[in-house]
Amino acid sequence: MKKLVILGGGYGGMRIMQKLFQSGVPEDIKIVLVDKAPYHCFKTEFYALAAGTIPDNHIRVAFPNHPQLEFINDEVSHIDLQNNRVELQNHHEAIIYDDLIIGLGCEDKYHDIPGADQYTYGIQSIEATRQTNNALNNLPRSSRVAIVGAGLSGVEIASELHESRPDLKIFLFDRGKMVLSKFPEKLSKYVNDWFQDHGVTIVNYANITKVEEGILYNHDEPMKFDCIVWTAGIRPNKVVRELDVEKDESGRVVLTSYHNIPGNEHVYVVGDCASLPFAPSAQLAEAQGDQIALVLLKRWNGEDLPDELPEIKLKGILGSLGKKQGFGLVAERPLTGRVARLLKSGILWLYKFHNG
């Protein structure tokens, strides 16, 4: 019996399993899922959990239940591509695979800033998000909170935290002249104005040079805070960074057009660790997962692969400003206000419905 091992039950891993089970997995294939969490988590909603506006059980669902699926609740410590082995932290015996899907996600990127990894909180894993939630929601009234990084995650956690804890003094640090600098100016201005209207302080042209316990250095000038949250960039999981394979300038694994490592058609990479012409996102991981499932089924069934896979086309991106306002790009058109927020809530509901 052949063994497909899926490392990580995130958006990409979940989509691959769904597509395989829907299409019918050949009887001689066993699937092993490895994840350090005992359930699938909605990472796109970690900002709300951290801020305290939704409970933990609202952003998770059980992994699929299938007779050909085995789940191992553990953390990956090493991948041996030469010998088709995956080593786990708490299992003495390595897992031997015939096909492997690496979907281990990402970690915070600290840009070699001293103290950033020690004295800040994050939202890149469910464990880190719970710690951030605990730190933020136990702060005394009028505490000062710094959020470093004004991309989508930073904007969402700052706005959601203001809604959850309006008594806090929130500072959002941005390297550019305006938040969400990669978005159209109309959206950036809308979000910037929202923060001004709601009393969230934006620190533009920020340059964080050092972090100490309770102190953030901006242009080497110390500023005191009761809690510092880091949302200033991501990098692939440490296990993936250690792989001896070709990577792009961001450290993501370079792949063939069929999403496998060049020269090894049995190892695929999905999600945040894959080098693709888009920024990492749940939507991208699912689109990639669809194609990996198709390739796997064709290879297992001895069928020819298509000359090329369809071009991945993303539908857009949506962000929240609390529970009532939002923003986004849908079909390349800027969208702001309540409609954008309702769309995001609707997409989350549909995802829960189809996966719950």
Side-chain angles (χ1 to χ4, degrees):
M1 179 170 282
K2 293 182 179 179
K3 186 182 292 184
L4 166 67
V5 176
I6 302 175
L7 305 181
Y11 291 99
M14 281 287 282
R15 180 58 70 93
I16 290 169
M17 287 187 288
Q18 289 168 346
K19 290 296 182 181
L20 291 178
F21 296 147
Q22 288 170 5
S23 301
V25 181
E27 293 182 359
D28 64 338
I29 301 293
K30 178 180 179 180
I31 300 176
V32 177
L33 170 66
V34 180
D35 199 290
K36 61 182 179 180
Y39 34 68
H40 170 63
C41 302
F42 308 158
K43 190 175 181 181
T44 57
E45 304 304 305
F46 280 4
Y47 71 92
L49 174 60
T53 54
I54 59 172
D56 191 296
N57 65 339
H58 279 210
I59 59 168
R60 64 180 195 237
V61 296
F63 288 125
N65 183 21
H66 192 275
Q68 289 170 259
L69 174 66
E70 175 189 354
F71 173 61
I72 298 177
N73 191 186
D74 203 346
E75 188 166 356
V76 178
S77 59
H78 179 69
I79 300 171
D80 182 353
L81 296 177
Q82 300 300 318
N83 297 296
N84 292 18
R85 292 163 48 94
V86 175
E87 297 173 12
L88 307 179
Q89 284 194 359
N90 300 313
H91 282 66
H92 296 299
E93 291 188 10
I95 303 174
I96 307 299
Y97 63 83
D98 295 287
D99 292 294
L100 180 68
I101 295 171
I102 303 172
L104 291 172
C106 62
E107 303 170 356
D108 283 304
K109 184 176 182 178
Y110 297 106
H111 308 282
D112 297 322
I113 297 171
D117 59 338
Q118 294 176 270
Y119 302 113
T120 66
Y121 291 89
I123 58 169
Q124 292 305 324
S125 69
I126 188 68
E127 302 96 325
T129 304
R130 287 176 178 138
Q131 292 174 6
T132 304
N133 170 280
N134 188 59
L136 290 172
N137 290 286
N138 284 326
L139 289 172
R141 185 178 179 85
S142 299
S143 293
R144 289 164 55 90
V145 176
I147 298 172
V148 182
L152 185 60
S153 295
V155 163
E156 290 191 311
I157 195 171
S159 60
E160 204 85 2
L161 183 61
H162 169 75
E163 188 164 288
S164 172
R165 294 288 310 271
D167 58 296
L168 298 176
K169 298 176 181 177
I170 303 169
F171 294 74
L172 181 59
F173 287 80
D174 179 29
R175 288 182 64 89
K177 66 177 182 179
M178 191 175 290
V179 298
L180 296 175
S181 57
K182 294 183 179 180
F183 282 68
E185 185 175 348
K186 176 183 177 180
L187 292 182
S188 297
K189 186 177 186 307
Y190 174 80
V191 174
N192 190 80
D193 291 347
W194 189 94
F195 282 128
Q196 288 185 347
D197 293 342
H198 290 79
V200 175
T201 302
I202 298 176
V203 182
N204 295 118
Y205 298 110
N207 182 24
I208 307 305
T209 53
K210 185 169 64 172
V211 184
E212 295 177 350
E213 187 171 3
I215 303 176
L216 189 68
Y217 288 81
N218 183 31
H219 295 281
D220 294 324
E221 292 293 324
M223 300 177 69
K224 291 186 177 181
F225 290 98
D226 299 287
C227 185
I228 303 169
V229 181
W230 194 268
T231 64
I234 58 174
R235 59 181 177 174
N237 180 283
K238 181 176 182 292
V239 173
V240 174
R241 298 201 304 273
E242 293 174 346
L243 288 177
D244 185 18
V245 296
E246 183 182 358
K247 302 185 181 81
D248 64 16
E249 59 184 12
S250 298
R252 299 185 178 96
V253 179
V254 173
L255 302 172
T256 71
S257 59
Y258 299 110
H259 306 291
N260 58 270
I261 293 175
N264 190 337
E265 67 177 33
H266 297 287
V267 179
Y268 305 79
V269 183
V270 65
D272 297 340
C273 299
S275 179
L276 296 168
F278 303 96
S281 69
Q283 185 184 170
L284 177 60
E286 290 189 324
Q288 193 187 5
D290 287 341
Q291 296 192 350
I292 291 175
L294 172 67
V295 171
L296 279 170
L297 287 168
K298 285 189 174 297
R299 283 177 168 160
W300 287 339
N301 293 322
E303 300 174 10
D304 291 334
L305 295 180
D307 292 336
E308 58 182 30
L309 295 173
E311 180 184 356
I312 292 177
K313 294 183 179 180
L314 304 183
K315 297 177 182 177
I317 187 168
L318 293 166
S320 69
L321 291 171
K323 296 300 182 194
K324 296 182 179 179
Q325 300 295 316
F327 59 92
L329 277 173
V330 179
E332 300 185 355
R333 294 178 57 186
L335 192 65
T336 59
R338 181 174 287 272
V339 172
R341 189 64 182 91
L342 288 172
L343 274 175
K344 179 168 184 179
S345 297
I347 290 171
L348 176 61
W349 182 88
L350 284 172
Y351 187 82
K352 283 184 175 181
F353 179 79
H354 286 295
N355 291 278

